[in-house]
Amino acid sequence: MLDELDRKLLEILVKDSRTSLKVLAQQVGLSSPSVSERLRRLEERGVIRAFTIEIDPQALGFSLQAIVRIRPLPGKLHIVQKLIEEIPEFGECDKVTGDDCFVARLFVRSIGELDHLLDRIADKAETSTAIIKGQPIRRRPPPLEALTGRS
Amino acid sequence: MLDELDRKLLEILVKDSRTSLKVLAQQVGLSSPSVSERLRRLEERGVIRAFTIEIDPQALGFSLQAIVRIRPLPGKLHIVQKLIEEIPEFGECDKVTGDDCFVARLFVRSIGELDHLLDRIADKAETSTAIIKGQPIRRRPPPLEALTGRS
DNA sequence: GTGAATACCTAATTAAATTAGGCATCGCCT
DNA sequence: AGGCGATGCCTAATTTAATTAGGTATTCAC
């Protein structure tokens, strides 16, 4: 369902999505219309979810990040979820097993802002917060390398 | 340091980084060479870290994700960090305050694979794992919206 | 007030993406 | 076995986009 060439294309595009069809084509040994068609299908099938840019949060003024565990109080699940969706300072957020809780990333400008945001959910959920220090050890993408290499 | 137009450009590009200079230009009311120059500088300054694609992990076979808290045993910090960097199944990983530990995302094909990977660090760190269920409530990006809107 | 630096513009050029049309291979059905 | 449709690729032509070159207005420092 995803052949060698598709994976190679994805690998190149993760590193630089502006790579021209011409260059992609010579990397995989196809013509540019063929590559174009493959990319179209990868998008169509949802393998490529988006062409996007990665922005440095610090450049936007978000010098602080935190990882927050949020356990909604009984009956408050939907209200809490809605809040998370609406507050723009939330980054990625996942629901995890166990005692039905969320794990989310928060981008803030200061500790004060962090406190303020947590206050907004304090009466609807039990939270625990870990402040992120330093630069990330790794950044996001799903492990394309893991498909070819051993682990 | 980042004016209104820059923010607008970032906002458009986060949604679709293939947006042409022509379209960007008319959205912000500049000519395309001017937009081109602004983007060049945003990259140069590190505001735009990368042009990239977002891939659906499931399409790659990673049907399971977990968030793992990893507290390296005394003296084992660097070994653990190196492992996290090298194992391709790790996604983003941050160091957090408190008792010096990491919070990482793991992409795996099965519970078996998850167990296997955790075994590899079991003798070097204390770990606790939460399996992610369902689709994420929110996805990654730092909150551009938070710069304009109130919160 | 003059000179240098910005930040923008338009027009011309170069480069990239798309379209159109055709060919080979494969699987399937009769 | 022969034919038919669907794939997946190709080249060449066309269209669209990005870049470059050169010029103008504005601002700030001296």
Side-chain angles (χ1 to χ4, degrees):
Chain A
M1 187 167 183
L2 253 208
D3 70 11
E4 190 55 35
L5 300 187
D6 287 329
R7 268 185 268 116
K8 190 136 181 200
L9 291 173
L10 293 175
E11 197 178 319
I12 297 170
L13 289 173
V14 165
K15 290 190 206 131
D16 181 5
S17 67
R18 281 172 312 179
T19 308
S20 71
L21 293 179
K22 190 182 163 195
V23 170
L24 288 171
Q26 56 203 33
Q27 294 291 322
V28 299
L30 291 178
S31 68
S32 32
S34 296
V35 171
S36 177
E37 175 64 12
R38 273 173 183 259
L39 296 187
R40 199 194 55 71
R41 300 208 49 233
L42 286 170
E43 271 194 274
E44 189 183 64
R45 285 192 273 161
V47 178
I48 296 178
R49 278 208 286 235
F51 281 71
T52 186
I53 55 170
E54 195 182 305
I55 298 175
D56 177 9
Q58 296 218 47
L60 263 39
F62 300 101
S63 50
L64 211 62
Q65 290 180 40
I67 291 174
V68 192
R69 191 170 169 286
I70 301 168
R71 177 159 65 218
L73 298 176
K76 297 280 168 76
L77 195 138
H78 291 292
I79 300 115
V80 169
Q81 179 163 338
K82 193 145 172 285
L83 263 177
I84 293 171
E85 282 163 5
E86 284 172 359
I87 296 176
E89 282 82 0
F90 275 107
E92 80 266 11
C93 175
D94 299 279
K95 198 187 273 180
V96 302
T97 53
D99 27 43
D100 263 312
C101 75
F102 298 107
V103 177
R105 181 182 305 263
L106 262 176
F107 295 92
V108 290
R109 277 159 280 230
S110 62
I111 293 277
E113 194 170 299
L114 177 59
D115 288 343
H116 175 248
L117 285 171
L118 291 174
D119 275 354
R120 289 182 62 185
I121 47 176
D123 58 331
K124 300 170 193 72
E126 189 189 305
T127 67
S128 72
T129 303
I131 289 172
I132 291 173
K133 59 175 167 189
Q135 289 309 110
I137 307 306
R138 286 187 68 134
R139 281 214 290 267
R140 34 271 295 241
L144 260 172
E145 323 114 60
L147 296 177
T148 52
R150 49 9 5 132
S151 67
Chain B
M1 187 167 185
L2 252 209
D3 70 10
E4 190 54 37
L5 300 187
D6 288 328
R7 267 184 269 115
K8 189 134 183 204
L9 291 173
L10 293 174
E11 196 178 319
I12 298 170
L13 289 173
V14 166
K15 290 190 206 130
D16 180 5
S17 66
R18 282 172 312 179
T19 309
S20 70
L21 293 179
K22 191 183 162 192
V23 170
L24 289 171
Q26 56 203 33
Q27 295 291 322
V28 300
L30 292 177
S31 67
S32 32
S34 296
V35 171
S36 178
E37 174 64 12
R38 272 172 184 261
L39 296 186
R40 199 192 57 69
R41 300 206 47 232
L42 286 170
E43 271 193 275
E44 189 182 66
R45 287 191 271 161
V47 177
I48 296 179
R49 279 209 284 236
F51 282 72
T52 186
I53 54 172
E54 195 182 304
I55 298 174
D56 177 9
Q58 296 218 47
L60 263 38
F62 299 101
S63 50
L64 211 63
Q65 290 180 39
I67 291 175
V68 192
R69 192 170 168 285
I70 302 169
R71 178 158 66 216
L73 298 177
K76 296 280 168 73
L77 194 138
H78 291 291
I79 301 115
V80 168
Q81 180 163 338
K82 193 146 171 286
L83 263 177
I84 293 171
E85 282 163 5
E86 284 172 358
I87 296 175
E89 281 82 0
F90 275 107
E92 81 266 12
C93 174
D94 299 281
K95 197 187 273 180
V96 302
T97 53
D99 27 42
D100 263 310
C101 76
F102 297 107
V103 177
R105 181 183 305 262
L106 262 175
F107 294 92
V108 290
R109 276 158 280 230
S110 63
I111 294 277
E113 194 171 298
L114 176 59
D115 288 343
H116 175 248
L117 285 171
L118 291 174
D119 275 353
R120 289 182 62 184
I121 46 175
D123 57 331
K124 300 171 193 72
E126 190 189 304
T127 68
S128 72
T129 303
I131 288 171
I132 292 172
K133 60 174 165 188
Q135 288 311 109
I137 308 307
R138 286 186 68 134
R139 283 215 288 268
R140 33 267 298 241
L144 260 171
E145 323 113 62
L147 296 177
T148 52
R150 42 29 345 142
S151 67

